[in-house]
């Protein structure tokens, strides 16, 4: 189910390794140049200092963005204790320091476990969230600070990987919208210290894994996943009758005998045509056309 191998007809998603030192937009621009396709997007920004898995959509695949972005993510992060920066990572200026206290691995894991579950998190000023149309990081660079609304996030899992003197590396499985930089600062505070991230690697998005991704230079058209493959986390319903396919493509209300709240409708060729969402009972409305 690979997407069309004609350059002008690429519609789907790539699993890409983003290197350190470039922005997520830089990576997208690289795709535009490499595949000669203007419609390119990504589903979750990675900071320039961070690396790891990015899902890059192309062509009609850009319509999938919100449904891919909503998936949980897993990161490996290294927290340096003793100094806090204005960005929460190694690219910022040090704004606070505190003595480093020796810790024990059992205590570290117990502390990490206290962050499990739903919680409110205030996004950092150095983020791409917009305030009155202006990205917060632009305001932060001018020394401005604005009140940010907290977001409800979920931390599904936390595990200590390594602890060496002033640094500890942990893995976290978190919901959409979680800022690991902010989480790391809170972890340091729980130890009675301050800290900042020195590395951050995204190792999974939903069921998609970093180990299956390639760098932009090594990607080719055959690495493009179809839209049906890309949306494999959604229940799938094959629509076989032409009149029903047309009705779905026209966005008409449907009745489906399924238990799921959302469903991916595909045609006989296993091509994704639309995502539908339950409204009441067995009635479903069109959420997004994918053709």
């Amino acid at each position: 189910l690979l997407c069309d191998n004609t350059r002008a007809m690429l519609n789907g998603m790539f699993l890409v390794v983003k290197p350190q030192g470039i922005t997520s937009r830089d990576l997208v621009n690289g795709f535009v140049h490499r595949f000669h396709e203007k419609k390119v997007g990504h589903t979750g920004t990675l900071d320039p200092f961070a690396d790891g898995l990015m899902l890059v959509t192309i062509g009609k695949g850009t319509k999938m963005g919100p449904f891919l972005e909503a998936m949980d993510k897993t990161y490996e992060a290294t927290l340096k204790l003793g100094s806090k920066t204005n960005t929460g990572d190694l690219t910022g200026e040090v704004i606070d320091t505190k003595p480093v206290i020796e810790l024990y691995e059992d205590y570290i894991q117990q502390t990490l476990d206290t962050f499990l579950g739903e919680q409110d998190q205030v996004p950092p000023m150095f983020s791409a969230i917009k305030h009155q149309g202006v990205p917060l990081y632009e305001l932060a660079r001018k020394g401005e600070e604005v009140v940010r609304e907290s977001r409800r996030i979920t931390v599904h899992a936390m595990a200590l990987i390594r602890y060496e003197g002033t640094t500890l590396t942990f893995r976290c499985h978190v919901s959409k919208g979680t800022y690991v930089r902010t989480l790391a600062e809170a972890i340091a505070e729980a130890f009675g210290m301050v800290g900042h991230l020195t590395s951050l690697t995204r190792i999974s998005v939903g069921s998609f894994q970093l180990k299956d991704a390639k760098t932009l230079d090594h990607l080719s058209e055959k690495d493009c996943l179809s839209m049906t493959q890309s949306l494999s986390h959604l229940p799938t319903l094959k629509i076989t009758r032409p009149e029903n396919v047309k009705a779905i493509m026209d966005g008409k209300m449907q009745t489906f005998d399924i238990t799921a709240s959302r469903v991916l409708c595909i045609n006989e060729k296993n091509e994704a045509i639309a995502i539908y969402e339950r409204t009441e009972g067995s009635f479903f409305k069109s959420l997004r056309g994918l053709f």
Side-chain angles (χ1 to χ4, degrees):
L1 292 178
L2 295 177
C3 60
D4 196 307
N5 282 340
T6 304
R7 281 187 183 274
M9 296 292 290
L10 283 174
N11 299 302
M13 180 185 77
F14 289 90
L15 304 183
V16 193
V17 179
K18 176 199 167 298
Q20 295 178 348
I22 68 169
T23 67
S24 299
R25 174 48 56 183
D26 290 335
L27 190 65
V28 167
N29 291 341
F31 263 82
V32 172
H33 177 74
R34 182 174 178 82
F35 293 105
H36 308 288
E37 172 61 67
K38 293 182 179 179
K39 289 186 177 180
V40 180
H42 67 81
T43 61
T45 300
L46 276 176
D47 294 326
F49 88 98
D51 61 4
L53 177 64
M54 284 193 64
L55 307 185
V56 177
T57 54
I58 192 166
K60 295 176 183 177
T62 55
K63 298 180 179 182
M64 304 185 294
F67 307 99
L68 299 172
E69 192 175 36
M71 295 190 291
D72 293 341
K73 300 170 179 66
T74 304
Y75 298 88
E76 287 187 3
T78 298
L79 169 62
K80 181 174 178 58
L81 299 168
S83 58
K84 180 177 182 177
T85 67
N86 60 346
T87 60
D89 60 52
L90 77 172
T91 67
E93 299 177 1
V94 175
I95 56 175
D96 192 14
T97 60
K98 285 186 178 180
V100 176
I101 305 166
E102 184 179 358
L103 302 171
Y104 297 93
E105 292 189 2
D106 287 347
Y107 172 68
I108 294 174
Q109 184 60 58
Q110 290 171 8
T111 303
L112 293 179
D113 288 343
T114 65
F115 287 89
L116 297 177
E118 290 189 6
Q119 56 202 269
D120 292 321
Q121 185 186 71
V122 178
M125 275 300 298
F126 279 88
S127 64
I129 297 172
K130 292 185 177 180
H131 174 73
Q132 297 179 349
V134 180
L136 289 180
Y137 63 79
E138 290 188 9
L139 299 176
R141 287 170 182 165
K142 297 177 182 178
E144 299 179 28
E145 183 160 351
V146 298
V147 176
R148 287 95 67 200
E149 290 187 7
S150 63
R151 294 179 168 188
R152 197 68 174 166
I153 63 164
T154 303
V155 178
H156 299 287
M158 293 278 280
L160 175 66
I161 297 176
R162 191 167 50 254
Y163 171 56
E164 298 172 340
T166 61
T167 64
L168 63 92
T169 300
F170 63 94
R171 178 178 295 196
C172 59
H173 176 202
V174 297
S175 66
K176 169 192 173 183
T178 302
Y179 283 89
V180 183
R181 285 178 288 139
T182 302
L183 183 61
E185 288 179 328
I187 292 169
E189 289 175 7
F191 294 139
M193 293 182 269
V194 293
H196 65 272
L197 288 186
T198 57
S199 70
L200 180 66
T201 301
R202 184 189 287 158
I203 57 176
S204 73
V205 178
S207 63
F208 300 108
Q209 303 291 320
L210 176 60
K211 63 181 178 63
D212 299 319
K214 296 180 180 180
T215 60
L216 178 58
D217 290 343
H218 290 89
L219 286 172
S220 65
E221 292 90 338
K222 64 182 179 61
D223 295 308
C224 182
L225 301 178
S226 71
M227 294 166 71
T228 300
Q229 290 173 310
S230 304
L231 295 168
S232 59
H233 62 287
L234 294 175
T236 302
L237 190 61
K238 181 171 286 191
I239 311 299
T240 56
R241 299 178 64 178
E243 60 269 31
N244 292 342
V245 171
K246 183 179 185 306
I248 287 173
M249 295 179 73
D250 288 340
K252 294 182 179 179
M253 186 79 74
Q254 300 291 312
T255 56
F256 297 137
D257 185 20
I258 58 174
T259 58
S261 58
R262 283 185 180 178
V263 62
L264 172 64
C265 297
I266 63 174
N267 61 20
E268 282 192 315
K269 296 180 180 179
N270 292 327
E271 297 167 334
I273 52 177
I275 295 174
Y276 268 69
E277 183 175 62
R278 186 187 304 277
T279 56
E280 184 179 356
S282 60
F283 290 96
F284 284 73
K285 67 177 181 180
S286 178
L287 204 57
R288 184 63 161 159
L290 300 172
F291 48 89

